[in-house]
Amino acid sequence: SKNEVSLYFNKYESDYMKISQANNKDNLSLTPKYGTKDNTKLGIIFNHKFDDKTQNILNFMQNKNNIKNDYLSTTTSKSLYDLESININDQVNHRFDNHHLLIGGFEYTKDKINTMLSSGENFTGISFTNKALYLQDKWSFSDKFNLTSGVRFDNHSAYGKQTNKSFTFGYDISDMTNYYIGY
């Protein structure tokens, strides 16, 4: 067996100015709007390879987004967002033979709105969770053609339970070009 641990960190900060047209499309005066973005993503991935056919990938991720759109505005058009997300994803991949790759796992996500003011409405203090289970089989029935079928069950704290099925037919023209049709 082989174990790998990967840490990742991504930081994006921006101060920007954009020009947007007044609400009346006949009014050609353009007004500058100012904003800031501060996004931070931190994660750790544990990859355990049991053997040449089976591996387990466990991913923990935290994402923080702080966005201020048109923050100098004295009207209700400004938007302030301070969002925090936590995601845990555990996935097992098993290759049965050269033709079948089975992928299964679970995902947990929690989104918390620390501050969200938009168009005069306040959504501060709201949080959502989603728990999901998924299973997918990629069947490569030739060097060029494959069929991937899957099912995913989600249980969202606000929107309830949902089961989704998917089917994708793939055609690999070359190492650089692939066509997919999906449902």
Side-chain angles (χ1 to χ4, degrees):
S1 72
K2 182 179 175 186
N3 295 302
E4 295 175 359
V5 177
S6 302
L7 293 170
Y8 59 93
F9 176 77
N10 186 6
K11 178 77 170 168
Y12 174 80
E13 292 182 10
S14 173
D15 292 324
Y16 64 89
M17 187 269 300
K18 64 180 181 177
I19 302 294
S20 60
Q21 189 171 354
N23 290 338
N24 182 346
K25 66 180 180 179
D26 296 328
N27 183 349
L28 297 179
S29 66
L30 301 176
T31 307
K33 295 187 178 195
Y34 297 90
T36 64
K37 291 183 181 182
D38 184 0
N39 302 339
T40 305
K41 187 182 287 187
L42 175 65
I44 185 167
I45 300 171
F46 300 97
N47 187 347
H48 176 75
K49 293 184 181 178
F50 293 96
D51 53 39
D52 290 342
K53 294 183 178 187
T54 308
Q55 71 175 346
N56 179 239
I57 303 166
L58 178 60
N59 185 5
F60 297 95
M61 188 264 300
Q62 181 179 35
N63 191 15
K64 293 183 179 184
N65 294 300
N66 187 296
I67 302 168
K68 297 176 183 174
N69 288 319
D70 196 20
Y71 66 91
L72 295 178
S73 174
T74 57
T75 69
T76 60
S77 68
K78 65 181 170 184
S79 299
L80 307 174
Y81 303 94
D82 184 7
L83 311 170
E84 186 174 337
S85 297
I86 295 172
N87 179 273
I88 302 168
N89 187 340
D90 191 20
Q91 176 177 306
V92 176
N93 301 340
H94 181 75
R95 181 166 294 285
F96 285 98
D97 53 31
N98 290 336
H99 301 291
H100 284 278
L101 173 63
L102 189 65
I103 299 170
F106 79 88
E107 182 178 287
Y108 171 82
T109 303
K110 181 175 182 178
D111 298 315
K112 182 179 177 189
I113 302 171
N114 298 319
T115 305
M116 184 172 165
L117 306 172
S118 181
S119 301
E121 296 185 59
N122 186 344
F123 299 98
T124 302
I126 297 173
S127 65
F128 301 102
T129 59
N130 189 59
K131 300 169 199 155
L133 296 170
Y134 56 90
L135 185 63
Q136 174 178 299
D137 178 36
K138 182 176 182 181
W139 174 35
S140 301
F141 50 91
S142 78
D143 290 341
K144 300 278 184 190
F145 295 97
N146 63 69
L147 178 65
T148 303
S149 57
V151 63
R152 179 181 171 107
F153 172 76
D154 286 276
N155 185 2
H156 194 276
S157 62
Y159 301 110
K161 298 174 182 178
Q162 176 75 36
T163 301
N164 294 300
K165 299 171 192 151
S166 64
F167 301 95
T168 303
F169 178 74
Y171 173 55
D172 299 337
I173 293 176
S174 68
D175 291 341
M176 302 290 288
T177 305
N178 306 311
Y179 287 113
Y180 294 96
I181 297 173
Y183 169 79

